[in-house]
């Protein structure tokens, strides 16, 4: 009955038996490597590095992608593994040289992941390879054996990943993006139908709207594991992030179109025709994300945009004193939406590796596509060399803690000192609260494991018993312990290490005692480092980075308005926002892995960051259609636009102050429907002789109104109806 209950508990925690399959794979590889090296080759050194190669690369490394991709990552990482073991072996002659190497390597390995999530998944494994090699005995002559053992382990593990119970192919970010394009395209079709027949019922549209927002919400970086989210510095990952932002903007614009739907049916509505073409382009973009698919063709969309621009009205016939404001609003919104669809399509091209010609670069939006991967990696690396970077904080904290642990192990001359660093690596998290949470199961599990394994050592002295039991302890440590929880995992891992070293260097029950002392020492060092160095983790830096991000966003809005009124392009302001985006996005991703503090928990981070994320892409598109100086010849509109930009500036600044200090934000600019928004400039629409100037004014004003709408989503007007446009209810 107890066995059945335990099995049911394990199955409920492991849908699809993914953890148990992986544990069985690691058990077979680890057993084969250990037996072949220890008893076949008769080399304890070869066996030690072979077994720990499997543990590091198979258990501590978190690799993304399907099995063949993970296998390629393991094999291509071998040169770095060899280098780390070689350096560790050469620096092991002195405690201080080994600790200095730990400080440098610990930081470099951890911080290198800022440009590629695959390196983040390998960081712990890389550090373990150096840690193991940097401890006595100092035997450089054994380096060939060490490298051979690790190479055998990694190669066999890569083969096993592909051929032994491979994990199911995971849902990739590209597949999520493809699903989102289907949902958004269906929503656009329903919106186009609503525009031409507003009395035809909205039931189907509401359902499609809900699905579209649900699928697009799944693209948020914070909701995707670090190893899967497109956070790398390369052009393809950056393009995927732009595609997700473009889809969010398309949804917001579609909601605004629905809010401005005509009261009577207009079968030949230009906005509806353009929306239908946009829906087809979005579907084609989603299909082209599949491997081997044909590149997306923008010809049909460009033709549809051209027809819509030529149909853009100023007034009824030649009567410029009575412009058709509702139609102006619909056409301006539809053209803004179409431009975001084009951004999506170009982003998909870049994500598929296509080169862009000059006209597709959208000034700065796709400027990065002109550069190689090393240039882009260096830019992101440099962006994180900043006092507010959570990656910098985490890397420094970990490097210092590991170096201190290495000094402590050497000074106290601990026989198995690498267990101290292993415990520090296990316990230390990105915030003091998470580190304290990890301390209790680490210590309790080690105590339990030490008691059990010490008792066994007193009763059973024959190494052959531990050799026979090794596969069972491997399966328990890699599979059952992980499913039952941290205490069980630490306890079973302690038993595993005791069984291994009973065959490598028998020490009796004192081996369990040494394990307990080492883990407690390493855990204490990890807790002290977590409390002393940036103890609040990402929560505090997220608030500070978000405030700077919102301030940079407000500046970009004002600079964009100045540009259309005759000022220079706001390229530097856009670049400041992009640099701020790197830090705030990384803080947000780490924030989701931590226990948030009370001030951060009160903030709707999705809504706050959305107010900024849409500014630069939308401003880039706005300036592409409305170039700098397009309204310079119409001085009467300048005070109105500057006033709107000033109100937005105040709203962004108030929101930034609330995010940092927790103070209530002031009144936010109230969003308005397009027709109501343009009523205040209706008298000006007949004062200018240029039809293009009217179009420019409408589009700029609509852009500003959309930004006010996104601010209102963070704090809906008091006593009013909740903001529904662009936000899933």
């Amino acid at each position: 009955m107890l066995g059945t209950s335990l099995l049911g508990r394990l199955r409920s925690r492991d849908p699809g038996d993914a953890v148990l399959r992986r544990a069985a794979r690691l058990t077979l590889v680890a057993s084969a490597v250990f037996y072949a090296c220890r008893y076949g080759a008769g080399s304890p050194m070869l066996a030690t590095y072979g077994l720990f190669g499997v543990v590091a690369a198979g258990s501590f490394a978190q690799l993304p992608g399907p099995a063949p991709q993970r296998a390629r990552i393991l094999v291509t990482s071998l040169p770095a593994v060899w280098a780390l073991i070689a350096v560790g072996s050469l620096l092991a002659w002195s405690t201080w040289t080994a600790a200095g190497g730990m400080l440098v390597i610990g930081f470099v390995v951890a911080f290198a992941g800022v440009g590629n999530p695959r390196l983040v998944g390998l960081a712990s494994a890389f550090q373990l390879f150096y840690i193991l090699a940097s401890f006595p005995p100092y035997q450089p002559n054994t380096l060939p054996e060490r490298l051979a053992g690790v190479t055998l382990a990694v190669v066999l593990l890569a083969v096993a990943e592909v051929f032994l119970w491979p994990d199911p192919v995971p849902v990739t970010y590209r597949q999520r993006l493809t699903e989102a394009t289907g949902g958004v395209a269906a929503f656009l079709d329903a919106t186009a139908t609503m525009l031409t027949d507003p009395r035809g019922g909205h039931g189907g549209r509401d359902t499609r709207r809900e699905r579209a927002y649900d699928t697009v919400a799944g693209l948020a970086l914070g909701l995707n594991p670090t190893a899967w989210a497109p956070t790398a510095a390369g052009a393809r990952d950056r393009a995927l992030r732009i595609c997700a932002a473009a889809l969010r903007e398309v949804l917001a614009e579609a909601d605004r179109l629905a809010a401005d739907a005509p009261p009577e049916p207009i079968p030949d509505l230009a906005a509806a025709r353009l929306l239908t073409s946009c829906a087809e382009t979005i579907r084609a973009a989603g299909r082209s994300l599949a491997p081997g698919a044909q590149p997306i063709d923008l010809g049909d969309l460009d033709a549809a945009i051209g027809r819509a621009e030529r149909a853009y009205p100023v007034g009824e016939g030649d009567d410029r004193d009575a412009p058709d404001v509702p139609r102006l609003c619909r056409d301006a919104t539809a053209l803004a939406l179409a431009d975001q669809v084009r951004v999506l399509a170009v982003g998909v091209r870049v994500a598929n590796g296509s080169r862009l010609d000059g006209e597709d670069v959208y000034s700065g939006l796709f400027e990065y596509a002109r550069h190689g991967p090393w240039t882009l990696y260096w830019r992101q690396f440099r962006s994180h060399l900043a006092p507010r970077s959570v990656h910098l904080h985490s890397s420094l904290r970990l490097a210092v803690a590991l170096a201190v642990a290495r000094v402590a192990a050497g000074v106290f001359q601990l026989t198995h000192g690498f267990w101290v660093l292993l415990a520090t690596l296990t316990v230390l998290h990105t915030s003091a609260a998470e580190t304290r949470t990890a301390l209790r199961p680490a210590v309790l599990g080690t105590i339990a494991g030490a008691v059990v394994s010490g008792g066994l050592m007193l009763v059973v002295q024959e190494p052959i018993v531990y050799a026979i039991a090794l596969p069972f302890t491997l399966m328990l440590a890699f599979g059952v312990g992980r499913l039952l929880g941290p205490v069980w995992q630490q306890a079973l891992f302690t038993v595993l290490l005791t069984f291994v070293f009973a065959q490598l260097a028998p020490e009796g029950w004192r081996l369990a005692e040494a394990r307990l002392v080492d883990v407690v020492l390493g855990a204490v060092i990890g807790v002290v480092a977590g409390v002393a160095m940036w103890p609040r983790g990402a929560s505090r830096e997220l608030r500070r980075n978000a405030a700077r991000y919102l301030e940079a966003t407000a500046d970009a809005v004002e600079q964009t308005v100045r540009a259309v009124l005759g000022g220079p392009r706001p390229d530097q302001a856009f670049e400041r926002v992009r640099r701020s985006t790197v830090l705030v996005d990384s803080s947000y991703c780490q924030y989701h892995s931590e226990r948030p503090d009370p001030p951060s928990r009160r903030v709707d981070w999705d809504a706050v960051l959305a107010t900024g994320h849409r500014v630069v892409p939308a401003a880039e598109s706005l300036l592409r259609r409305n170039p700098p100086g397009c309204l310079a010849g119409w001085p009467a509109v300048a005070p109105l636009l500057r006033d709107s930009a000033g109100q937005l500036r105040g709203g962004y600044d108030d929101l930034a102050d609330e995010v940092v200090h927790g103070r209530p934000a002031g009144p936010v600019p109230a969003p308005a429907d397009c027709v109501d928004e343009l009523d205040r400039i209706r008298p000006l629409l007949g004062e200018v002789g240029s039809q293009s100037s009217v179009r420019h004014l409408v589009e700029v004003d609509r852009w500003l109104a959309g930004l006010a709408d996104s601010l209102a989503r963070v704090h809906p007007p008091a006593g009013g109806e909740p903001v529904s446009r662009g936000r899933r209810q």
Side-chain angles (χ1 to χ4, degrees):
M1 181 67 68
L2 180 61
T4 304
S5 175
L6 178 61
L7 182 60
R9 183 179 176 186
L10 294 177
R11 296 295 296 272
S12 66
R13 296 188 178 189
D14 186 22
D17 299 328
V19 173
L20 293 180
R21 280 203 312 271
R22 183 171 185 80
R25 187 164 59 242
L26 294 179
T27 297
L28 286 177
V29 175
S31 300
V33 170
F34 185 81
Y35 289 147
C37 295
R38 177 65 184 92
Y39 300 106
S43 171
M45 183 67 69
L46 202 62
T48 299
Y49 279 81
L51 180 63
F52 275 88
V54 176
V55 173
S59 182
F60 281 81
Q62 303 296 321
L63 302 179
Q69 179 180 327
R70 294 197 302 272
R72 284 194 300 271
I73 294 173
L74 287 173
V75 173
T76 54
S77 69
L78 273 175
V81 172
W82 296 333
L84 290 169
I85 293 176
V87 171
S89 300
L90 295 176
L91 295 180
W93 69 274
S94 164
T95 294
W96 296 103
T97 57
M102 187 73 262
L103 181 66
V104 174
I105 289 175
F107 174 78
V108 171
V109 168
F111 194 65
V114 299
N116 195 323
R118 296 180 181 86
L119 296 180
V120 174
L122 286 170
S124 295
F126 281 173
Q127 287 155 347
L128 279 179
F129 287 124
Y130 174 83
I131 289 170
L132 181 62
S134 69
F135 276 91
Y138 175 63
Q139 297 175 334
N141 58 304
T142 64
L143 184 58
E145 281 187 284
R146 298 180 178 191
L147 297 182
V150 167
T151 302
L152 176 64
V154 171
V155 170
L156 287 181
L157 188 60
V159 173
E161 285 280 354
V162 178
F163 296 105
L164 287 181
W165 310 295
D167 294 336
V169 178
V171 178
T172 65
Y173 194 86
R174 282 173 172 264
Q175 290 172 324
R176 292 184 186 276
L177 188 60
T178 299
E179 181 185 9
T181 58
V184 173
F187 175 50
L188 291 189
D189 283 334
T191 304
T193 301
M194 177 184 176
L195 290 177
T196 55
D197 186 11
R199 293 175 295 184
H202 302 160
R205 178 185 177 276
D206 290 341
T207 301
R208 295 183 184 185
R209 179 179 186 270
E210 190 75 15
R211 178 177 178 272
Y213 273 99
D214 284 340
T215 55
V216 172
L219 300 176
L221 295 180
L223 300 181
N224 289 270
T226 302
W228 302 95
T231 55
R236 298 193 180 197
D237 273 21
R238 294 182 66 165
L240 290 175
R241 297 198 296 270
I242 287 180
C243 290
L247 280 179
R248 296 186 191 100
E249 191 66 18
V250 167
L251 285 179
E253 298 290 1
D255 267 338
R256 293 188 191 98
L257 265 178
D260 299 326
E264 297 294 333
I266 306 178
D268 193 32
L269 191 62
R273 295 197 305 272
L274 182 56
L275 236 63
T276 301
S277 180
C278 288
E280 291 302 318
T281 302
I282 291 176
R283 287 192 182 91
R287 290 192 297 267
S288 69
L289 285 168
Q294 291 294 322
I296 183 173
D297 182 12
L298 295 178
D300 291 342
L301 178 63
D302 287 341
I305 292 175
R307 289 192 298 269
E309 287 178 335
R310 289 190 295 272
Y312 213 129
V314 174
E316 294 296 334
D318 295 327
D319 184 7
R320 298 181 183 273
D321 293 326
D324 187 351
V325 171
R327 187 177 175 188
L328 279 170
C329 293
R330 289 191 299 269
D331 289 352
T333 305
L335 286 168
L337 184 151
D339 207 55
Q340 288 300 314
V341 172
R342 199 175 193 281
V343 169
L344 168 69
V346 174
V348 168
R349 283 183 172 181
V350 177
N352 288 335
S354 299
R355 297 182 61 87
L356 298 181
D357 43 26
E359 64 178 0
D360 282 332
V361 176
Y362 283 89
S363 299
L365 191 58
F366 289 100
E367 182 271 341
Y368 63 85
R370 297 174 175 172
H371 301 284
W374 286 109
T375 300
L376 298 176
Y377 181 88
W378 168 247
R379 286 184 179 181
Q380 188 143 324
F381 188 88
R382 186 178 57 190
S383 296
H384 279 281
L385 288 174
R388 299 302 178 194
S389 169
V390 292
H391 275 297
L392 182 66
H393 296 175
S394 298
S395 302
L396 285 174
R397 183 194 302 112
L398 181 61
V400 170
L402 291 177
V404 171
R406 180 62 184 89
V407 170
V411 169
F412 293 117
Q413 297 182 345
L414 300 177
T415 306
H416 298 283
F418 66 91
W419 286 345
V420 178
L421 280 79
L422 180 59
T424 301
L425 191 64
T426 302
V427 169
L428 187 61
H429 285 66
T430 55
S431 71
E434 296 294 325
T435 300
R436 288 193 298 269
T437 301
L439 173 65
R440 184 171 177 268
V443 174
L444 291 179
T446 302
I447 292 174
V451 170
V452 171
S453 55
L456 287 173
M457 288 287 185
L458 287 173
V459 175
V460 181
Q461 304 289 332
E462 296 298 326
I464 187 62
V465 176
Y466 300 104
I468 294 173
L470 180 63
F472 299 99
T473 55
L474 284 166
M475 188 66 189
L476 289 172
F478 290 146
V480 177
R482 183 176 176 182
L483 292 174
L484 292 180
V487 175
W488 281 92
Q489 188 173 10
Q490 192 65 233
L492 292 172
F493 191 67
T494 298
V495 174
L496 169 63
L497 290 178
T498 304
F499 277 39
V500 169
F501 280 92
Q503 303 171 68
L504 294 174
E507 299 179 30
W509 65 270
R510 293 191 176 277
L511 187 64
E513 178 189 28
R515 166 73 178 166
L516 178 58
V517 171
D518 292 346
V519 168
V520 171
L521 178 60
V524 170
I525 292 173
V527 169
V528 171
V531 172
M533 303 178 69
W534 301 287
R536 298 186 182 180
S539 294
R540 183 175 183 179
E541 296 309 325
L542 175 58
R543 296 199 301 272
R544 292 180 175 181
N545 288 332
R548 286 178 170 81
Y549 178 57
L550 292 169
E551 291 166 2
T553 297
D555 187 54
V557 172
E558 286 192 325
Q559 294 292 334
T560 302
V561 170
R562 291 175 189 171
V564 297
L565 293 175
R569 279 189 60 88
D571 292 330
Q572 292 185 353
F574 290 167
E575 185 59 29
R576 285 194 294 272
V577 176
R578 292 190 183 99
R579 288 198 300 267
S580 300
T581 302
V582 173
L583 295 181
V584 77
D585 281 348
S586 66
S587 302
Y588 183 57
C589 289
Q590 182 172 309
Y591 167 82
H592 272 276
S593 67
E594 298 177 353
R595 183 183 305 171
D597 57 11
S600 299
R601 193 181 293 115
R602 291 193 294 266
V603 178
D604 183 356
W605 287 111
D606 289 327
V608 168
L609 298 184
T611 63
H613 280 355
R614 64 183 302 265
V615 169
V616 170
E620 289 276 4
S621 296
L622 180 80
L623 291 176
R624 194 179 75 88
R625 293 178 38 75
N626 307 275
C630 62
L631 294 175
W634 199 354
V637 305
L640 295 175
L641 295 181
R642 290 196 183 104
D643 177 66
S644 295
Q647 291 184 34
L648 284 170
R649 174 95 208 195
Y652 285 119
D653 289 345
D654 287 345
L655 182 58
D657 189 63
E658 178 190 11
V659 165
V660 173
H661 303 292
R663 289 193 287 263
V668 298
D673 289 341
C674 182
V675 175
D676 296 334
E677 182 69 19
L678 290 183
D679 271 342
R680 66 192 181 100
I681 62 173
R682 184 188 291 268
L684 301 177
L685 298 182
E687 295 179 6
V688 64
S690 170
Q691 176 175 339
S692 62
S693 294
V694 174
R695 188 194 77 186
H696 295 321
L697 174 61
V698 171
E699 293 195 7
V700 172
D701 199 75
R702 285 293 299 123
W703 176 66
L704 293 173
L707 297 182
D709 185 68
S710 66
L711 273 176
R713 292 177 209 153
V714 183
H715 297 291
E721 293 295 324
V723 179
S724 60
R725 291 182 295 161
R727 185 178 182 183
R728 182 169 56 88
Q729 299 299 299

